[in-house]
Amino acid sequence: MTVPLKIVFTKRLEIRPLTIDDYDMWIYGFKSRRPKQNAFDSDTSDLTYWDRAFFQRNVEQFDALADEDDAYIFGIFISETGEHIGKLEFTILQRTGFDWAMFGYLIHNQYWNNGYGNEVLTAVDEIGKQLELHRIEAHVNPNHEISMKLIERNGFEYEGVRKSFIHENEQWNDYRVYVKVI
């Protein structure tokens, strides 16, 4: 099932699939990142091989995932300036009889504390409806209090803990599950 996607606009943001024309703003977003701010921030990447061909391969891979209804990766842009500030991903967990997905997002750290995360989460329902989803989950590290508060403020309900759910930092970690039915 391929779902045609529309651009979602919030008060200040445009959320949409990436195109090859987004390369300059995309790479600028990564090059402008500040040093790692906390345990949940991404490390600054080695961008030496992140050229236009690398980006095009990624865009093609994202399009293929969407064509197969496996995952949908969106760029997050400031509407007024076109700046790429992060990404929003939906991974389809089950379709038939469930229409169930999980989502995750990343905001480049130079854009933190501007309310963009909250704005992105307000768009999750609309994108979920476009994707014909019924249940959306967010999986959050139990120590990431900022993310848990943001998720809860946007209507996600705490459902429980998945034990030894994600392998990161060379160990299996528990994660909290938050759910929204749309």
Side-chain angles (χ1 to χ4, degrees), residues 89-91 93 100-104 124 133 135-140 151 156 159 162 165 176-181:
E89 299 180 4
F90 284 78
T91 302
L93 299 174
W100 171 35
M102 64 179 239
F103 83 97
V124 166
L133 296 171
R135 176 186 171 93
I136 302 171
E137 290 186 1
H139 304 145
V140 183
I151 294 287
F156 282 81
E159 188 171 74
R162 292 218 171 108
F165 185 59
R176 292 175 62 109
V177 177
Y178 290 85
V179 175
K180 184 181 262 191
V181 175

Side-chain angles (χ1 to χ4, degrees), residues 89-109:
E89 299 180 4
F90 284 78
T91 302
I92 304 301
L93 299 174
Q94 180 72 39
R95 274 295 185 186
T96 307
F98 292 90
D99 293 325
W100 171 35
M102 64 179 239
F103 83 97
Y105 64 96
L106 172 138
I107 304 291
H108 294 309
N109 63 12

Side-chain angles (χ1 to χ4, degrees), residues 10-174:
T10 66
K11 182 179 175 184
R12 301 173 293 168
L13 301 176
E14 178 179 318
I15 302 170
R16 60 176 173 73
L18 292 165
T19 70
I20 190 63
D21 294 334
D22 294 322
Y23 174 74
D24 292 331
M25 284 299 192
W26 177 82
I27 196 68
Y28 178 78
F30 282 97
K31 285 183 176 180
S32 301
R33 286 184 60 84
R34 297 179 184 143
K36 186 173 178 161
Q37 303 293 304
N38 62 42
F40 305 105
D41 194 7
S42 300
D43 286 324
T44 304
S45 300
D46 174 10
L47 306 175
T48 55
Y49 67 95
W50 288 23
D51 60 9
R52 195 172 294 274
F54 170 83
F55 181 71
Q56 182 167 351
R57 285 190 303 275
N58 276 282
V59 169
E60 289 168 358
Q61 181 183 28
F62 298 162
D63 289 346
L65 289 167
D67 286 345
E68 294 297 318
D69 193 41
D70 289 331
Y72 297 84
I73 294 91
F74 301 90
I76 305 168
F77 300 87
I78 298 175
S79 297
E80 190 174 301
T81 63
E83 292 170 78
H84 176 264
I85 68 165
K87 69 177 179 173
L88 173 64
E89 299 180 4
F90 284 78
T91 302
I92 304 301
L93 299 174
Q94 180 72 39
R95 274 295 185 186
T96 307
F98 292 90
D99 293 325
W100 171 35
M102 64 179 239
F103 83 97
Y105 64 96
L106 172 138
I107 304 291
H108 294 309
N109 63 12
Q110 69 270 32
Y111 297 101
W112 288 1
N113 300 313
N114 289 298
Y116 293 128
N118 192 62
E119 225 171 296
V120 169
L121 287 174
T122 65
V124 166
D125 286 6
E126 184 175 342
I127 294 169
K129 288 174 186 172
Q130 283 187 35
L131 296 175
E132 301 175 0
L133 296 171
H134 171 69
R135 176 186 171 93
I136 302 171
E137 290 186 1
H139 304 145
V140 183
N141 183 300
N143 297 314
H144 199 329
E145 291 181 28
I146 292 170
S147 198
M148 287 186 290
K149 287 178 184 175
L150 185 62
I151 294 287
E152 289 171 359
R153 261 197 325 266
N154 282 279
F156 282 81
E157 294 180 25
Y158 173 70
E159 188 171 74
V161 173
R162 292 218 171 108
K163 298 286 187 186
S164 295
F165 185 59
I166 295 178
H167 192 263
E168 57 189 5
N169 301 321
E170 300 182 23
Q171 64 185 12
W172 286 99
N173 295 294
D174 298 347

